[in-house]
Amino acid sequence: MSGKTGSSSNSVIQAQKLVDQLRVEAGMERIKVSLTAGDLVRYCQEHRRSDPLVSGITASSNPFKDKKTCVLL
């Protein structure tokens, strides 16, 4: 009998934690997605020239370029 009360009190505690978490999340101040997306697009456009994923890496400044060529005999 004590096993049933232990599991039911455990589920009540879990439910209370969930309710508390949902209350915290509901009380958070949200930023509109349209504002955030606009900021992200603007940032990407302003920094695209220095972004190596967009503009690439020059061969002279690439630290991963092979120093020697491999020759097979």
Side-chain angles (χ1 to χ4, degrees), residues 4-68:
K4 278 188 168 183
T5 57
S7 65
S8 65
S9 66
N10 189 25
S11 60
V12 169
I13 291 170
Q14 287 178 341
Q16 184 61 43
K17 286 181 180 181
L18 178 61
V19 168
D20 291 342
Q21 179 64 33
L22 291 173
R23 284 185 179 152
V24 168
E25 290 178 14
M28 293 178 89
E29 185 178 337
R30 307 280 184 199
I31 299 172
K32 290 189 176 189
V33 174
S34 59
L35 296 176
T36 306
D39 290 342
L40 182 59
V41 168
R42 191 170 25 263
Y43 177 84
C44 290
Q45 289 174 344
E46 290 172 359
H47 293 88
R48 69 177 166 231
R49 292 178 195 246
S50 62
D51 188 345
L53 295 175
V54 175
S55 61
I57 300 173
T58 60
S60 62
S61 65
N62 186 353
F64 300 105
K65 182 181 177 190
D66 290 337
K67 304 295 183 219
K68 299 179 184 177

